[in-house]
Amino acid sequence: MSAGEPADLRHPNHVLDELGFRYDPNNLFQQTANALLEAAEILDLPHHLRLILAQPKIEIMFHFPVKMDDGKYRLFKGYRVQHNNILGPYKGGMRYHADVSLDDIKSLSVLMTLKCSLAHLPLGGAKGGVQVDPRSLSTTELRHLTRRFTAALDGNIGTDHDIPAPDMGTNAQVMAWMADTYMNFNANLGRHQARAIVTGKPIEFGGSHGREKATGQGLVYTLERCLPDVGIALNNMTYSLIGFGNVGSWGARLLAERGSTLVTVMDHTGAIIDPAGIDAEDLATYVAEHGGVAGYPKAEAIDEKTFYQTKVDVFIPAALEQMVHEHNASWLNCRVLAEAANAPCTPAAERQLLERGVLILPAILCNAGGVTVSYFEWKQNRQAETWDLETVDTMLKKHVYSAAEKSIKAAKRFNVDLRKGAYIAALENIGKVYALRGIFP
Ligand code: NAD
């Protein structure tokens, strides 16, 4: 940015300013990069590493046509952003959503780098997706779109290079189509080896036991490890949930097994309440049939404000980014906010909640269960092995507990909140590898 640029366009973070960012406090990528850089500053990470980590290594954006059921063609926009691979091959989900944008994908790719490092996985960070509302497509259209998207990604993904996984709007079936498409283009790779191109596949086709529930399971292990520190026990905890998709519904079903009470749920169709507790298993069956929580007959419908204001021990956003913002953060009546979704709180909301003494369990810790079991699936495919559920869960718990302890330790060492602690622990690991390898040449 030139010295003559108006002051309010210059980014207050000197690294983002040096990289030429025009300041936009509402931009998700700038928020995420800024949070990373704040942690880097506390850690005193070398300046050149801050520059490297403040931008993804590779940003791919492309258009591809798909023939729809009515015989007409539609053009779709696809993305894959590869943030950093110092720790290993790029890894990250593929999102199908109408609002997918480059900056959002960039932001999520940064979080993947930090998450893999914190969970001590030999993987880097990436994210991708297609700008589409998957609910508006027929099964045939979804399959054709997935196959064209995978073909268009071409050599940009690979079993040792970049390994996609499910995210919002995609699932095990979509992963199966991705893997099958890749295998058709790469017949030279062995069958097991080629299946390692994506994770989150159906169990019958190289998926791992425990992968579907993994993010919810990781959330439960995070709560199990962190809540006793603030005097909350899982077996008498009350909580609210935004989102009842993969992460939310699995988290709720697993928390029900631990005796927690689900008081309110909100998704894209509406919000419901039952102070005596909503039956997560029953609600999951209802949502599978009706597409959302609206109209669930065993709970009362409420408006959005009531949903946010309901008093609970733990508030769990498990839907979109930036859903907790400066306007609704003041409505929250909870002691802990567990970020099951990626980047669900804006920086302004976070500041407000921290000032009020709310403990925020950061996304790179709370939802690291998904990528951890994805790593287990990748490992099983490469070794032609099948692990049982007990093995997966035991190893997942070890990774989550260790990530939580590293975050807590760093937060204490630097006297910062838990998000900063988690980011510092993740960056410290990355910084060590850069120091050992140096910058080529
Ligand atoms: P999903 O598509 O299965 O479910 C998304 C949920 O969000 C749905 O219940 C939907 O109704 C709800 N939602 C969408 N728009 C909403 C709105 N405007 N208001 C309220 N609710 C809304 O997605 P998912 O896989 O459960 O992912 C949820 C979050 O968890 C995302 O941030 C994702 O990046 C993150 N995450 C997912 C995984 C995984 O393994 N699936 C892993 C790590 C992180």
Side-chain angles (χ1 to χ4, degrees):
M1 184 166 300
S2 75
E5 201 84 53
D8 59 355
L9 284 183
R10 294 189 62 152
H11 204 291
N13 184 298
H14 64 95
V15 173
L16 294 178
D17 183 35
E18 189 178 335
L19 289 169
F21 280 89
R22 268 63 176 163
Y23 183 43
D24 177 359
N26 297 317
N27 178 286
L28 185 64
F29 177 68
Q30 293 190 22
Q31 291 174 1
T32 308
N34 193 57
L36 178 151
L37 291 167
E38 280 175 3
E41 176 97 37
I42 296 165
L43 188 61
D44 201 19
L45 206 66
H47 181 73
H48 67 279
L49 296 189
R50 298 188 207 183
L51 288 174
I52 291 170
L53 293 167
Q55 283 282 32
K57 199 160 160 184
I58 296 166
E59 298 170 17
I60 307 159
M61 225 186 337
F62 49 91
H63 294 93
F64 56 95
V66 179
K67 191 176 184 181
M68 309 308 280
D69 289 349
D70 62 5
K72 294 186 180 144
Y73 289 87
R74 259 179 77 186
L75 196 69
F76 292 93
K77 191 188 270 290
Y79 302 87
R80 188 68 178 167
V81 172
Q82 298 163 334
H83 175 252
N84 189 276
N85 61 352
I86 192 81
L87 298 180
Y90 299 109
K91 186 91 189 80
M94 288 295 197
R95 175 173 295 195
Y96 289 178
H97 194 279
D99 294 336
V100 160
S101 74
L102 181 61
D103 273 344
D104 290 359
I105 295 288
K106 281 170 67 176
S107 163
L108 295 165
S109 73
V110 173
L111 293 178
M112 285 306 297
T113 298
L114 295 172
K115 204 178 296 182
C116 291
S117 176
L118 184 68
H120 199 55
L121 308 176
L123 297 167
K127 201 81 182 188
V130 179
Q131 203 178 70
V132 60
D133 174 7
R135 293 192 195 95
S136 70
L137 303 181
S138 70
T139 305
T140 309
E141 289 170 340
L142 191 61
R143 190 176 69 242
H144 288 169
L145 176 137
T146 300
R147 289 196 185 285
R148 270 309 293 246
F149 177 46
T150 312
L153 281 164
D154 196 21
N156 293 300
I157 55 171
T159 54
D160 275 313
H161 172 55
D162 184 356
I163 307 119
D167 190 69
M168 282 187 73
T170 57
N171 55 23
Q173 174 61 77
V174 171
M175 293 304 112
W177 290 327
M178 286 195 112
D180 182 72
T181 306
Y182 186 81
M183 288 167 86
N184 274 286
F185 280 109
N186 293 276
N188 56 323
L189 292 174
R191 303 296 278 182
H192 289 293
Q193 177 71 14
R195 289 196 302 190
I197 184 58
V198 293
T199 56
K201 299 180 292 292
I203 290 183
E204 301 79 358
F205 179 36
S208 175
H209 287 290
R211 174 59 186 92
E212 205 197 325
K213 66 163 181 143
T215 310
Q217 186 69 69
L219 169 71
V220 174
Y221 289 145
T222 306
L223 296 172
E224 183 185 77
R225 171 62 190 79
C226 297
L227 291 187
D229 293 353
V230 287
I232 300 174
L234 280 185
N235 63 4
N236 61 14
M237 163 189 123
T238 56
Y239 71 104
S240 292
L241 194 54
I242 313 182
F244 208 76
N246 172 285
V247 179
S249 73
W250 272 111
R253 280 175 276 179
L254 295 165
L255 283 170
E257 288 173 12
R258 304 301 188 94
S260 308
T261 304
L262 173 58
V263 179
T264 54
V265 185
M266 181 174 83
D267 73 358
H268 71 288
T269 64
I272 54 171
I273 190 166
D274 183 352
I278 296 166
D279 180 339
E281 197 67 58
D282 191 58
L283 183 62
T285 308
Y286 178 86
V287 169
E289 279 169 22
H290 297 85
V293 303
Y296 181 60
K298 298 175 193 168
E300 191 189 327
I302 48 171
D303 62 25
E304 199 174 318
K305 192 168 183 183
T306 312
F307 168 80
Y308 280 101
Q309 287 177 330
T310 301
K311 183 176 182 189
V312 284
D313 295 319
V314 183
F315 188 86
I316 308 180
L320 297 173
E321 293 77 29
Q322 297 181 310
M323 290 203 69
V324 181
H325 42 72
E326 59 184 324
H327 304 298
N328 59 22
S330 62
W331 296 343
L332 289 188
N333 193 352
C334 61
R335 290 162 64 200
V336 177
L337 186 145
E339 295 186 336
N342 286 307
C345 299
T346 65
E350 181 175 9
R351 273 192 300 277
Q352 235 189 80
L353 293 167
L354 290 175
E355 272 166 25
R356 281 167 45 200
V358 174
L359 170 68
I360 300 178
L361 303 176
I364 68 161
L365 171 60
C366 277
N367 69 30
V371 69
T372 303
V373 179
S374 271
Y375 164 61
F376 299 162
E377 177 176 333
W378 181 68
K379 238 179 125 168
Q380 288 170 74
N381 290 159
R382 295 167 69 89
Q383 296 164 351
E385 282 183 8
T386 307
W387 303 353
D388 58 29
L389 182 58
E390 200 189 333
T391 306
V392 170
D393 280 349
T394 306
M395 288 181 53
L396 172 61
K397 186 172 171 171
K398 268 192 199 159
H399 278 267
V400 173
Y401 266 53
S402 149
E405 266 139 36
K406 276 191 277 182
S407 309
I408 293 166
K409 214 166 138 187
K412 280 193 184 140
R413 189 169 125 217
F414 292 97
N415 193 23
V416 292
D417 61 81
L418 201 56
R419 180 189 315 286
K420 286 207 177 69
Y423 284 27
I424 288 169
L427 288 173
E428 196 163 29
N429 184 30
I430 291 169
K432 277 182 193 159
V433 181
Y434 269 111
L436 288 165
R437 288 183 56 175
I439 303 294
F440 185 80

